[in-house]
PDB file of all heavy atoms in Angstrom:
ATOM      1  N   GLY A 551     -53.071  14.599  12.986  1.00  0.00           N
ATOM      2  CA  GLY A 551     -54.170  15.540  13.105  1.00  0.00           C
ATOM      3  C   GLY A 551     -53.893  16.839  12.379  1.00  0.00           C
ATOM      4  O   GLY A 551     -52.775  17.096  11.942  1.00  0.00           O
ATOM      5  N   PRO A 552     -54.899  17.688  12.214  1.00  0.00           N
ATOM      6  CA  PRO A 552     -54.731  18.953  11.501  1.00  0.00           C
ATOM      7  C   PRO A 552     -53.875  19.941  12.295  1.00  0.00           C
ATOM      8  O   PRO A 552     -53.682  19.753  13.492  1.00  0.00           O
ATOM      9  CB  PRO A 552     -56.171  19.456  11.353  1.00  0.00           C
ATOM     10  CG  PRO A 552     -56.914  18.840  12.505  1.00  0.00           C
ATOM     11  CD  PRO A 552     -56.266  17.497  12.728  1.00  0.00           C
ATOM     12  N   PRO A 553     -53.371  20.982  11.605  1.00  0.00           N
ATOM     13  CA  PRO A 553     -53.630  21.317  10.192  1.00  0.00           C
ATOM     14  C   PRO A 553     -52.813  20.442   9.239  1.00  0.00           C
ATOM     15  O   PRO A 553     -51.632  20.193   9.475  1.00  0.00           O
ATOM     16  CB  PRO A 553     -53.221  22.782  10.091  1.00  0.00           C
ATOM     17  CG  PRO A 553     -52.175  22.955  11.155  1.00  0.00           C
ATOM     18  CD  PRO A 553     -52.594  22.044  12.279  1.00  0.00           C
ATOM     19  N   TRP A 554     -53.481  20.001   8.154  1.00  0.00           N
ATOM     20  CA  TRP A 554     -52.823  19.154   7.166  1.00  0.00           C
ATOM     21  C   TRP A 554     -52.093  19.963   6.109  1.00  0.00           C
ATOM     22  O   TRP A 554     -51.299  19.424   5.355  1.00  0.00           O
ATOM     23  CB  TRP A 554     -53.857  18.233   6.520  1.00  0.00           C
ATOM     24  CG  TRP A 554     -54.476  17.324   7.532  1.00  0.00           C
ATOM     25  CD1 TRP A 554     -53.833  16.399   8.307  1.00  0.00           C
ATOM     26  CD2 TRP A 554     -55.850  17.261   7.913  1.00  0.00           C
ATOM     27  NE1 TRP A 554     -54.717  15.764   9.136  1.00  0.00           N
ATOM     28  CE2 TRP A 554     -55.977  16.268   8.916  1.00  0.00           C
ATOM     29  CE3 TRP A 554     -57.001  17.924   7.510  1.00  0.00           C
ATOM     30  CZ2 TRP A 554     -57.188  15.936   9.506  1.00  0.00           C
ATOM     31  CZ3 TRP A 554     -58.213  17.595   8.098  1.00  0.00           C
ATOM     32  CH2 TRP A 554     -58.302  16.619   9.083  1.00  0.00           C
ATOM     33  N   SER A 555     -52.385  21.219   6.044  1.00  0.00           N
ATOM     34  CA  SER A 555     -51.668  22.113   5.144  1.00  0.00           C
ATOM     35  C   SER A 555     -51.699  23.511   5.739  1.00  0.00           C
ATOM     36  O   SER A 555     -52.714  23.914   6.320  1.00  0.00           O
ATOM     37  CB  SER A 555     -52.295  22.123   3.750  1.00  0.00           C
ATOM     38  OG  SER A 555     -51.629  23.035   2.891  1.00  0.00           O
ATOM     39  N   SER A 556     -50.602  24.241   5.606  1.00  0.00           N
ATOM     40  CA  SER A 556     -50.500  25.599   6.135  1.00  0.00           C
ATOM     41  C   SER A 556     -49.783  26.488   5.136  1.00  0.00           C
ATOM     42  O   SER A 556     -49.098  26.009   4.228  1.00  0.00           O
ATOM     43  CB  SER A 556     -49.735  25.620   7.466  1.00  0.00           C
ATOM     44  OG  SER A 556     -50.377  24.849   8.451  1.00  0.00           O
ATOM     45  N   ILE A 557     -49.940  27.779   5.326  1.00  0.00           N
ATOM     46  CA  ILE A 557     -49.192  28.775   4.555  1.00  0.00           C
ATOM     47  C   ILE A 557     -48.359  29.580   5.544  1.00  0.00           C
ATOM     48  O   ILE A 557     -48.877  30.043   6.564  1.00  0.00           O
ATOM     49  CB  ILE A 557     -50.115  29.725   3.787  1.00  0.00           C
ATOM     50  CG1 ILE A 557     -51.097  28.941   2.914  1.00  0.00           C
ATOM     51  CG2 ILE A 557     -49.308  30.698   2.940  1.00  0.00           C
ATOM     52  CD1 ILE A 557     -52.222  29.797   2.365  1.00  0.00           C
ATOM     53  N   THR A 558     -47.081  29.743   5.242  1.00  0.00           N
ATOM     54  CA  THR A 558     -46.192  30.524   6.093  1.00  0.00           C
ATOM     55  C   THR A 558     -45.583  31.651   5.276  1.00  0.00           C
ATOM     56  O   THR A 558     -45.131  31.437   4.141  1.00  0.00           O
ATOM     57  CB  THR A 558     -45.067  29.648   6.672  1.00  0.00           C
ATOM     58  OG1 THR A 558     -45.642  28.564   7.401  1.00  0.00           O
ATOM     59  CG2 THR A 558     -44.176  30.455   7.604  1.00  0.00           C
ATOM     60  N   ALA A 559     -45.576  32.842   5.843  1.00  0.00           N
ATOM     61  CA  ALA A 559     -44.949  34.008   5.218  1.00  0.00           C
ATOM     62  C   ALA A 559     -43.760  34.438   6.060  1.00  0.00           C
ATOM     63  O   ALA A 559     -43.852  34.514   7.293  1.00  0.00           O
ATOM     64  CB  ALA A 559     -45.945  35.157   5.092  1.00  0.00           C
ATOM     65  N   TYR A 560     -42.638  34.714   5.392  1.00  0.00           N
ATOM     66  CA  TYR A 560     -41.414  35.156   6.057  1.00  0.00           C
ATOM     67  C   TYR A 560     -41.029  36.561   5.587  1.00  0.00           C
ATOM     68  O   TYR A 560     -41.185  36.894   4.405  1.00  0.00           O
ATOM     69  CB  TYR A 560     -40.237  34.237   5.723  1.00  0.00           C
ATOM     70  CG  TYR A 560     -40.304  32.838   6.250  1.00  0.00           C
ATOM     71  CD1 TYR A 560     -40.911  31.822   5.520  1.00  0.00           C
ATOM     72  CD2 TYR A 560     -39.713  32.494   7.467  1.00  0.00           C
ATOM     73  CE1 TYR A 560     -40.943  30.512   5.978  1.00  0.00           C
ATOM     74  CE2 TYR A 560     -39.736  31.185   7.940  1.00  0.00           C
ATOM     75  CZ  TYR A 560     -40.355  30.202   7.193  1.00  0.00           C
ATOM     76  OH  TYR A 560     -40.379  28.906   7.655  1.00  0.00           O
ATOM     77  N   ASP A 561     -40.500  37.360   6.507  1.00  0.00           N
ATOM     78  CA  ASP A 561     -39.787  38.588   6.162  1.00  0.00           C
ATOM     79  C   ASP A 561     -38.341  38.186   5.930  1.00  0.00           C
ATOM     80  O   ASP A 561     -37.629  37.815   6.868  1.00  0.00           O
ATOM     81  CB  ASP A 561     -39.886  39.595   7.311  1.00  0.00           C
ATOM     82  CG  ASP A 561     -39.126  40.892   7.037  1.00  0.00           C
ATOM     83  OD1 ASP A 561     -38.250  40.905   6.148  1.00  0.00           O
ATOM     84  OD2 ASP A 561     -39.396  41.891   7.722  1.00  0.00           O
ATOM     85  N   MET A 562     -37.884  38.245   4.685  1.00  0.00           N
ATOM     86  CA  MET A 562     -36.560  37.711   4.392  1.00  0.00           C
ATOM     87  C   MET A 562     -35.424  38.650   4.780  1.00  0.00           C
ATOM     88  O   MET A 562     -34.257  38.238   4.770  1.00  0.00           O
ATOM     89  CB  MET A 562     -36.460  37.333   2.913  1.00  0.00           C
ATOM     90  CG  MET A 562     -37.350  36.167   2.518  1.00  0.00           C
ATOM     91  SD  MET A 562     -37.265  34.742   3.650  1.00  0.00           S
ATOM     92  CE  MET A 562     -35.546  34.321   3.563  1.00  0.00           C
TER      93      MET A 562
END
Side-chain angles (χ1 to χ4, degrees):
W554 298 299
S555 178
S556 299
I557 306 168
T558 302
Y560 293 89
D561 178 342
M562 293 313 301

